[in-house]
Amino acid sequence: MEESKLHVAMQKYVLSWRDWVSNYFPQLQPKMKKEQPASVPCCQCGCQHNPDREDVCQCVHHGDSFLLTVPTQHVGLVMGKGRIKRNEIFTSSGVSLLIVPKIGEGLTGGGSDIEIKGVPAAVKKAEMLIRKSVQRQAKLSPGRWRCCQRAASATGCQTSEKHVIDTILEDQELLVETRECVSSPVRVFALDCEWVLTSRGGELARVSVLDYRGDVCYDTLVLPPRPIADYNTRFSGITASLMEGVTMSLREVQEDLHKMICSKDVLVGHSIHHDLQALHLVHRKVVDTSEVFPHKDGPNKKNSLRFLAKQFLMRDIQQEQFGHDSKEDALACLDLMKLKIAN
């Protein structure tokens, strides 16, 4: 399909003004203001702190995830039918990561390792809920932090000078808006970003832009202005070695995208408000695959891009243990929309 025809077909799926506002897309003059709490919890230690001022205490935390071994034959009790039990434990405990292996995966000498990541209080609660789910079938050995091999309640084994929050940094002073279209033809792009965590939250570390054919037209690593506290590698794919020698700044990326994208172009992505928040980019014409392919349980839940790619494209994505690939994710979004339009 020609780009101009694809652009016309995309209009049906462009987010409405109400959805664009209610999802807190970047706006120069926000119509809905987010409540800004006086303090937020550190995602490493759980301590409340104000990210806009210098920390008055060090961050004492664990440097890796927590492992709890469950007899392989009882892993299903933790997962539950349709992952219901696993999701209940994840939501109730407040952990940031809960990986329950499939039968035969994550095997140790005594069973299967369940991996948990989060602040100590959340990890401790998740361990308790997992024990409760299998208590009639098995008595579990104590879990241990990977970093120090100690129990869930143990004091952190690492110290950082700064606390870290895992929400994307949103700074009104950094916002830029895509330019008005004058004579250039309208275009369709797929966009995906990755971010790392600093003392002020999630900051842009990579941006990938594909054209309507799925070819890469922009892909670069970005160096945050503040020291990186957590590379968030499992999800971002960003590592310390990957960032060596990177000098590209957010402002330079914004300047590049300003030359490439105009206000009438369509940007396609998955939960794309997060990507535009990380870019501090104001753009109205967006298509969000998490909205176009709604969750069966209603608007309060979102399908993952990984699920949608497998379900509709018969494609396995986000399989790498070292994180997501922003080009792969952007291409999945674009192909999902092409499939939607064709059918």
Side-chain angles (χ1 to χ4, degrees), residues 270-282:
H270 190 78
S271 294
I272 192 173
H273 58 291
H274 292 316
D275 303 288
L276 294 181
Q277 286 168 358
L279 282 166
H280 289 82
L281 184 66
V282 181

Side-chain angles (χ1 to χ4, degrees), residues 35-88:
E35 291 187 8
Q36 299 296 334
S39 63
V40 292
C42 171
C43 66
Q44 296 184 135
C45 68
C47 176
Q48 293 283 335
H49 79 292
N50 186 336
D52 293 326
R53 64 181 182 135
E54 291 296 319
D55 295 315
V56 295
C57 62
Q58 291 182 325
C59 174
V60 181
H61 62 280
H62 290 282
D64 210 330
S65 53
F66 182 83
L67 297 179
L68 181 63
T69 303
V70 174
T72 302
Q73 66 268 31
H74 300 318
V75 167
L77 297 174
V78 182
M79 183 66 78
K81 186 177 181 180
R83 299 170 60 90
I84 290 177
K85 189 63 181 179
R86 178 264 173 207
N87 293 340
E88 286 179 356

Side-chain angles (χ1 to χ4, degrees), residues 176-179 187 189-193 204 206-210 217-220 222 248-263 265 267 275-276 278-283:
V176 296
E177 190 170 16
T178 47
R179 61 186 170 82
R187 303 194 63 187
F189 297 101
L191 169 72
D192 190 74
C193 296
L204 185 69
R206 184 182 180 183
V207 54
S208 299
V209 183
L210 311 186
C217 52
Y218 191 77
D219 183 39
T220 187
V222 188
M248 178 72 77
S249 68
L250 170 63
R251 188 60 71 190
E252 289 174 305
V253 169
Q254 290 174 329
E255 290 173 356
D256 289 342
L257 296 184
H258 193 265
K259 299 172 185 175
M260 183 187 310
I261 303 169
C262 75
S263 60
D265 295 338
L267 297 183
D275 303 288
L276 294 181
L279 282 166
H280 289 82
L281 184 66
V282 181
H283 188 79

Side-chain angles (χ1 to χ4, degrees), residues 6-7 9-11 13-14 25 187-193 208-212 261 265-273 275-276 283 285-290 292-293 305 326 329-338 341:
L6 181 62
H7 185 277
M10 286 282 191
Q11 300 306 309
Y13 303 101
V14 169
F25 278 82
R187 303 194 63 187
V188 174
F189 297 101
L191 169 72
D192 190 74
C193 296
S208 299
V209 183
L210 311 186
D211 65 18
Y212 81 102
I261 303 169
D265 295 338
V266 171
L267 297 183
V268 181
H270 190 78
S271 294
I272 192 173
H273 58 291
D275 303 288
L276 294 181
H283 188 79
K285 286 191 175 294
V286 292
V287 173
D288 189 339
T289 49
S290 74
V292 176
F293 297 85
L305 182 59
S326 52
D329 289 356
L331 181 60
C333 291
L334 181 63
D335 288 344
L336 282 166
M337 288 311 305
K338 287 181 177 179
I341 290 168

Side-chain angles (χ1 to χ4, degrees), residues 87-215:
N87 293 340
E88 286 179 356
I89 295 172
F90 178 80
T91 303
S92 299
S93 63
V95 295
S96 58
L97 182 71
L98 177 60
I99 298 180
V100 181
K102 297 177 182 178
I103 300 298
E105 293 182 354
L107 291 176
T108 64
S112 298
D113 279 340
I114 294 177
E115 184 176 2
I116 311 169
K117 192 170 185 180
V119 300
V123 169
K124 187 176 180 180
K125 185 173 182 180
E127 182 187 30
M128 181 270 291
L129 292 172
I130 292 171
R131 289 182 181 281
K132 188 175 180 180
S133 68
V134 301
Q135 63 184 0
R136 294 185 179 181
Q137 304 295 330
K139 185 176 181 180
L140 304 184
S141 299
R144 70 278 184 202
W145 291 98
R146 272 179 163 170
C147 43
C148 59
Q149 298 299 307
R150 295 163 69 191
S153 57
T155 302
C157 58
Q158 298 186 19
T159 302
S160 302
E161 293 298 322
K162 297 284 186 179
H163 290 289
V164 179
I165 57 175
D166 61 359
T167 55
I168 297 175
L169 169 66
E170 295 180 69
D171 188 338
Q172 285 292 119
E173 295 183 1
L174 297 177
L175 289 180
V176 296
E177 190 170 16
T178 47
R179 61 186 170 82
E180 289 295 323
C181 293
V182 182
S183 58
S184 56
V186 288
R187 303 194 63 187
V188 174
F189 297 101
L191 169 72
D192 190 74
C193 296
E194 307 295 349
W195 48 87
V196 293
L197 303 181
T198 73
S199 60
R200 290 194 67 190
E203 298 200 56
L204 185 69
R206 184 182 180 183
V207 54
S208 299
V209 183
L210 311 186
D211 65 18
Y212 81 102
R213 292 181 297 266
D215 297 329

